[in-house]
């Protein structure tokens, strides 16, 4: 079958790499893709915010499945429009993607279905939000309600910081995303990412993974989209997985059914593993990036039947096999990220670096120009490896990085430190 994959990040490169291995695949189209994906499929600069253009492209190319990588097209209702046109898609419809698109929506579900999460208030006026913050006292977490590209969460240590953050939100710092504000108590504990495939009724947990959100070694520096990841995450024990499925995932799936807007796709729960058990920090309506890269590296089964079963509502008939061996990915980013950075520097040595078996280099922000690989984004490369132990996977990934000649790039040198401590 022909498949269209939407997105251009490391997550989509990993998905494309895995989809391209499927015996079910005839042609993979990727919109827009990046410089690393040219050999896996046909790249197209289709404007994916023009839903009719996507429908026309799908029909013209006999595409039987559309896989949506990032959240923005989901929240914009691309899957709704595809399904109305009779086209099968992997990803939730707009009303279900609100689990990521509106933090207040998710918090209200938590309240109504008794799902463990941080205590919170939800406000659409400045005065009420400030009054609540003052009544609760610091520390507090202030969140813009909508999608704010990962920047809409302020961890306020003092009441003054909280009030400033609230004022920033309402004065438009996060655009429309900040028109409503969620204020939460601060939770403590290690964080974990937890992924399930769900077809609206059945849920199939994926292998566990953990990312590294801070820019620099030792979990220092500003928050980023993720500087590296590993799988499995020893911290997510079988008992914790079971507890998370029962207390967080199952009631969420039930809630979305009850609302008449079942959630289909990959559901990504950001968890805080508190002393009182796992609590939900947030949902995402997509795979984590870079968690997806390590999950795809460890997935032994064909991905395409899993995507189809999710879209078709037949996940109860599917099981997934995983390589027992751990995987790890190190993100190489342009110096300056997550702040400002220069675009267009050249990266050399990728052929040598990716030569060893069990090393895959997934591109995120790259473009190919006259045969040269240029850095075009903040997060640029994902050096991904799988080995018998996490120690070996880590050593292998850093050996590969040494072969990459890119003075304008940087990376963390301690990816998987927590897993190494625990093994
Ligand atoms: P979010 O975008 O909601 O995932 O928040 C981004 C990051 O902020 C999370 O990964 C946590 O590190 C942190 N965070 C969000 N909410 C809380 C909370 N209630 N308590 C502690 N940390 C939080
Ligand atoms: N790695 C975190 C995210 O994808 O949101």
């Amino acid at each position: 079958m022909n498949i269209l994959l939407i997105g251009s990040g490391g997550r989509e490169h990993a998905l494309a790499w895995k989809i391209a291995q499927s015996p079910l695949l005839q042609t993979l189209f990727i919109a827009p893709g990046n410089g690393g994906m040219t050999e896996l499929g046909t790249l197209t600069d289709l404007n994916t915010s023009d839903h009719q253009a996507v429908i026309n492209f799908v029909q013209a190319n006999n595409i039987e499945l559309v896989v949506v990588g990032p959240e923005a097209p989901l929240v914009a209702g691309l899957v709704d429009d595809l399904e109305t046109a009779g086209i099968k898609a992997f990803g939730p419809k707009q009303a279900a993607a609100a689990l990521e698109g509106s933090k207040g929506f998710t918090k209200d579900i938590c309240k109504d279905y008794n799902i463990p999460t941080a205590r919170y208030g939800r406000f659409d006026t400045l005065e009420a939000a400030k009054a609540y913050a003052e009544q609760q006292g610091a520390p507090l977490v202030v969140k813009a309600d909508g999608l704010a590209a990962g920047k809409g969460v302020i961890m306020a240590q003092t009441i003054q910081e909280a009030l400033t953050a609230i004022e920033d939100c309402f004065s438009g710092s996060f655009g429309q995303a900040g028109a409503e504000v969620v204020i939460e108590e601060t939770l403590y504990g290690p964080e974990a990412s937890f992924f399930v495939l769900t077809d609206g009724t059945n849920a199939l947990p994926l292998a566990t993974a953990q990312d590294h959100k801070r820019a620099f070694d030792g979990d220092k520096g500003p928050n980023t989209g993720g500087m590296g990841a590993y799988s499995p995450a020893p911290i997510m024990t079988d008992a914790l997985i079971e507890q998370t499925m029962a207390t967080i995932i199952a009631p969420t799936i039930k809630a979305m059914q009850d609302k008449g807007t079942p959630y289909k796709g990959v559901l990504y729960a950001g968890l805080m593993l508190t002393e009182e058990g796992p609590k939900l920090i947030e949902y995402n309506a997509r795979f984590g990036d870079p968690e997806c890269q390590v999950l795809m590296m460890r997935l032994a089964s064909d991905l395409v039947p899993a995507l189809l079963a999710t879209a078709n509502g037949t996940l109860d008939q599917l099981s997934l096999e995983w390589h027992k061996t751990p995987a790890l990915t190190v993100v190489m980013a342009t110096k300056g990220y997550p702040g400002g950075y220069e675009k267009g520097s050249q990266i050399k040595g990728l052929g040598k670096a990716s030569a060893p078996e069990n090393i895959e280099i997934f591109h995120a922000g790259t473009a190919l120009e006259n045969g040269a690989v240029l850095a075009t984004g903040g997060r640029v490369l994902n050096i991904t490896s799988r080995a018998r132990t996490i120690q070996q996977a880590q050593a292998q990934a850093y050996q590969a990085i040494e072969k990459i000649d890119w003075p304008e790039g940087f990376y963390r040198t301690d990816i998987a430190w927590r897993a190494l401590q625990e093994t």
Side-chain angles (χ1 to χ4, degrees), residues 53-134:
V54 179
I55 292 167
N56 295 345
F57 184 87
V58 164
Q59 288 168 343
N61 291 288
N62 295 320
I63 289 163
E64 286 177 63
L65 176 69
V66 179
V67 181
V68 185
E71 63 278 15
L74 299 169
V75 173
L78 177 60
V79 172
D80 305 57
D81 289 336
L82 290 171
E83 287 192 2
T84 305
I87 298 162
K88 199 170 286 179
F90 175 84
K93 291 199 203 179
Q94 186 171 44
L99 281 177
E100 172 160 4
S102 165
K103 294 187 191 296
F105 174 85
T106 297
K107 294 300 279 191
D108 287 353
I109 287 182
C110 290
K111 186 171 70 186
D112 295 345
Y113 286 80
N114 220 2
I115 296 168
T117 189
R119 200 173 54 243
Y120 75 105
R122 185 181 179 184
F123 305 96
D124 56 11
T125 67
L126 176 66
E127 289 317 315
K130 283 166 81 170
Y132 178 82
E134 273 170 348

Side-chain angles (χ1 to χ4, degrees), residues 128-159:
K130 283 166 81 170
Y132 178 82
E134 273 170 348
Q135 177 218 332
Q136 294 293 315
L140 284 173
V141 187
V142 178
K143 302 184 175 184
D145 181 75
L147 292 184
K151 298 198 174 69
V153 174
I154 300 103
M155 312 283 297
Q157 296 307 322
T158 65
I159 191 68

Side-chain angles (χ1 to χ4, degrees), residues 11 211 213 225-226 268 282 284 286-291 379:
R11 167 183 53 210
D211 81 346
K213 287 202 159 78
Y268 161 3
E282 62 158 0
N284 293 303
R286 52 176 174 82
F287 279 103
D289 186 344
E291 292 97 319
R379 292 189 295 169

Side-chain angles (χ1 to χ4, degrees), residues 365-400:
T366 69
L368 264 187
E369 235 175 78
N370 303 323
V373 178
L374 304 182
T376 57
R379 292 189 295 169
V380 173
L381 298 169
N382 302 261
I383 318 307
T384 313
S385 91
R386 187 161 63 82
R388 204 170 48 80
T389 64
I390 191 76
Q391 285 85 348
Q392 284 174 5
Q394 190 195 50
Q396 238 171 241
Y398 286 115
Q399 278 159 18

Side-chain angles (χ1 to χ4, degrees), residues 285-373:
R286 52 176 174 82
F287 279 103
D289 186 344
E291 292 97 319
C292 184
Q293 289 79 313
V294 286
L295 293 179
M296 291 307 113
M297 200 76 172
R298 287 194 59 222
L299 181 60
S301 306
D302 187 352
L303 177 64
V304 172
L307 301 174
L308 287 170
T310 304
N312 290 338
T314 54
L315 266 181
D316 54 329
Q317 295 159 37
L318 188 106
S319 63
L320 291 173
E321 299 293 325
W322 301 89
H323 292 294
K324 296 259 181 311
T325 43
L328 169 146
T329 190
V330 180
V331 170
M332 294 186 81
T334 308
K335 282 179 186 162
Y337 172 80
Y341 53 83
E342 299 275 326
K343 289 186 182 179
S345 54
Q346 190 176 348
I347 306 166
K348 294 182 192 154
L350 289 176
K352 244 189 281 168
S354 62
E357 210 188 324
N358 284 339
I359 289 278
E360 292 296 331
I361 300 186
F362 297 123
H363 293 216
T366 69
L368 264 187
E369 235 175 78
N370 303 323
V373 178

